[in-house]
Amino acid sequence: MTGTSAETPGTTHRGAAIPLIVSLAATAVTVLILRGEGRRWWCACGELSLWASNINSSHCSQHLFDPYSFTHVEHGLIAFSLLTWLRPGWSVTWRLCATVLYACGWEILENSTYIIERYRAHTLALNYLGDSVGNSMGDILSCVTGFAIASKLGLRRTLVLFVVLELMLLVIIRDNLTLNVVMLLYPVNGIKAWQMGR
């Protein structure tokens, strides 16, 4: 049957364009909000580097990508998995749109004064001043990348990849998405001391 209300979101050409438009609009609004909050476009150093490897430097969260970009890839892995489970009737384009909306919302929240202060007080990011707009766009892109990867891998291999990324980050920077969430919600002094190498 055609033209019925039984069609899932995004199953027509016109319907497929709507989530793309919503995603682009949400990203544009995010840029405006971040700029309104005083976030810089790019690193104050003026360098056009796309990658900053040292999480303890003033370059972290100021260039397009850094080690924490992998945690945003994980956000995308989780988003795809949860939406596939919770909204199996949604088209991939609408699930991607929901993921972009989530990523934009997180970037706005993450760069709020409250979250910045919690990062500075309870995590490794002692001198964290918020992301640059460029870094926030890189984070959203990383989340979309994670979503795309999960859509190809399937749920089981996505879980394996998530665990691998968590362990890799734990070894390389003594931080990962799990510890990041724990330290934001329920800070543990022993974890912070270990992360700082004491």
Side-chain angles (χ1 to χ4, degrees):
M1 296 192 315
T2 59
T4 67
S5 59
E7 290 181 354
T8 57
T11 55
T12 66
H13 290 298
R14 183 182 174 196
I18 295 173
L20 175 61
I21 293 169
V22 172
S23 298
L24 292 174
T27 304
V29 169
T30 300
V31 169
L32 292 175
I33 291 173
L34 293 175
R35 285 295 291 163
E37 291 179 343
R39 303 281 77 83
R40 289 180 164 274
W41 285 111
W42 200 257
C43 183
C45 67
E47 296 178 11
L48 293 177
S49 173
L50 298 181
W51 172 263
S53 57
N54 187 352
I55 66 167
N56 296 313
S57 76
S58 59
H59 295 285
C60 189
S61 297
Q62 300 304 303
H63 298 275
L64 191 63
F65 300 112
D66 55 52
Y68 286 105
S69 299
F70 290 103
T71 66
H72 292 276
V73 171
E74 292 177 318
H75 282 240
L77 299 177
I78 293 169
F80 178 84
S81 302
L82 283 178
L83 288 169
T84 298
W85 175 50
L86 295 173
R87 290 289 183 263
W90 282 12
S91 67
V92 174
T93 52
W94 275 108
R95 280 180 272 163
L96 177 59
C97 178
T99 299
V100 171
L101 291 174
Y102 157 75
C104 289
W106 171 247
E107 289 306 310
I108 293 168
L109 178 64
E110 183 183 32
N111 286 283
S112 66
T113 301
Y114 175 74
I115 296 297
I116 288 173
E117 289 304 319
R118 283 197 69 82
Y119 270 125
R120 289 170 62 88
H122 302 298
T123 73
L124 283 173
L126 301 179
N127 299 312
Y128 181 61
L129 298 174
D131 297 351
S132 69
V133 174
N135 182 257
S136 287
M137 294 302 101
D139 290 346
I140 293 170
L141 181 59
S142 295
C143 185
V144 169
T145 300
F147 179 97
I149 291 170
S151 72
K152 301 297 183 186
L153 290 182
L155 294 177
R156 289 182 181 176
R157 285 182 288 180
T158 294
L159 177 60
V160 171
L161 177 59
F162 179 87
V163 171
V164 168
L165 288 174
E166 285 288 86
L167 293 174
M168 177 191 78
L169 290 169
L170 196 65
V171 170
I172 295 173
I173 63 171
R174 295 194 179 200
D175 204 1
N176 57 27
L177 184 58
T178 302
L179 288 183
N180 209 275
V181 171
V182 168
M183 296 301 284
L184 274 178
L185 298 179
Y186 189 78
V188 178
N189 289 333
I191 293 176
K192 184 174 180 179
W194 173 76
Q195 288 180 316
M196 297 179 71
R198 293 176 186 166

